[in-house]
Amino acid sequence: MGSLRAPFYFSGGWAIDLHLGRVTREHHDIDVVVMRRDQLGLHECLKQFSLKKIVPHPDGMPPNRGTIVEWRPGELLELPVHQINAYRANQSEPAFQVYLAESSGDEWIFRRNPEIRMPIARMGFYPLWGLPYLAPEIVLLFKAKYLEARDRIDFKNASPMLNIDARRWLSDAIEKTHPGHEWLKAF
């Protein structure tokens, strides 16, 4: 990903661990976020991988499932397609997943509720000593939908470490997307 001429961020559980500076649990995959507007650079920077798009099922369930098909160079992906799997040669499981993030101008837009936004300048961290990662409040907002055991662990570990602005943003975003969500009690 280092040769991509656009910002990218590690996301999911690894973003939480990068923010905390320690590994807090076992991880089953690696997720990366790239702005949808920068998608065409992925074929060049990931040319050693086979790239496949996930076309979601119309009913949206189960999570991370859909029809997996080749993503041709030059093909622009539009919603609802937002996930690309990167496969090493002769491997049936992806080496990692790339998620396309929505934006308008200088704002990131939550694809599940376009009312929720954040300045792109605040959506990730670029530590001098490490890897770029998505802001934990955005990661937790995505995790709030399914509440798998790993999501609850990530919330328990990360939420106390959020600054007041991040906590307020996350609380407002969860309330708008999942009114009455169990995590709102923590705020």
Side-chain angles (χ1 to χ4, degrees):
M1 294 296 299
S3 66
L4 181 66
R5 296 182 186 264
F8 69 92
Y9 312 92
F10 286 90
S11 62
W14 281 114
I16 299 297
D17 284 358
L18 286 166
H19 188 72
L20 297 174
R22 61 189 169 87
V23 177
T24 61
R25 63 174 177 83
E26 185 175 324
H27 297 275
H28 70 281
D29 62 4
I30 299 170
D31 303 325
V32 178
V33 168
V34 172
M35 303 308 285
R36 183 176 297 277
R37 64 187 179 202
D38 299 321
Q39 66 178 287
L40 291 181
L42 290 169
H43 276 289
E44 180 60 28
C45 91
L46 299 174
K47 56 187 165 196
Q48 70 274 30
F49 293 91
S50 171
L51 301 179
K52 298 182 181 184
K53 63 185 177 183
I54 309 296
V55 179
H57 291 296
D59 62 9
M61 291 300 287
N64 300 320
R65 299 274 200 281
T67 304
I68 302 172
V69 294
E70 292 294 323
W71 178 38
R72 296 180 314 275
E75 177 187 3
L76 283 175
L77 301 179
E78 300 292 337
L79 283 172
V81 176
H82 61 272
Q83 181 180 344
I84 302 156
N85 287 353
Y87 297 85
R88 289 188 176 92
N90 302 316
Q91 296 291 313
S92 61
E93 293 296 318
F96 60 96
Q97 293 92 30
V98 177
Y99 291 90
L100 300 176
E102 308 310 312
S103 65
S104 178
D106 62 354
E107 285 189 311
W108 166 83
I109 301 170
F110 185 44
R111 73 176 148 74
R112 294 179 186 159
N113 182 346
E115 179 183 340
I116 299 169
R117 296 167 179 242
M118 178 182 285
I120 289 173
R122 284 190 42 224
M123 72 178 276
F125 292 90
Y126 293 91
L128 293 176
W129 46 263
L131 303 168
Y133 62 92
L134 197 61
E137 59 268 33
I138 293 176
V139 173
L140 293 173
L141 177 59
F142 276 102
K143 288 176 163 289
K145 183 174 181 178
Y146 295 111
L147 291 180
E148 294 181 24
R150 66 179 174 255
D151 303 325
R152 286 185 164 92
I153 291 168
D154 289 344
F155 181 79
K156 180 181 173 216
N157 288 326
S159 62
M161 304 305 292
L162 297 176
N163 67 37
I164 190 70
D165 291 332
R167 291 173 67 82
R168 186 177 304 118
W169 184 92
L170 179 58
S171 175
D172 291 346
I174 290 175
E175 183 62 45
K176 288 175 184 172
T177 307
H178 307 289
H181 193 282
E182 68 182 57
W183 288 354
L184 292 170
K185 297 172 194 162
F187 301 109

